[in-house]
Amino acid sequence: MSTGAVVMLVVAIVIIWGGLAASALWLRAHPDAEDAARRQAG
């Protein structure tokens, strides 16, 4: 693989996994109101 391809691969991996980690952290800090109500009721 060429250098450009490796760089693009690394950028794509960082974007995908970084977005996944950011969304997981966001949901942990700001849970849905319906989900929180369901947890308290059940």
Side-chain angles (χ1 to χ4, degrees):
M1 289 174 51
S2 67
T3 305
V6 172
V7 169
M8 290 299 293
L9 176 67
V10 170
V11 168
I13 289 171
V14 166
I15 289 172
I16 296 297
W17 288 105
L20 179 65
S23 64
L25 291 173
W26 176 266
L27 283 174
R28 179 182 280 184
H30 303 91
D32 290 337
E34 292 178 9
D35 190 36
R38 231 180 279 137
R39 286 183 184 172
Q40 289 178 350

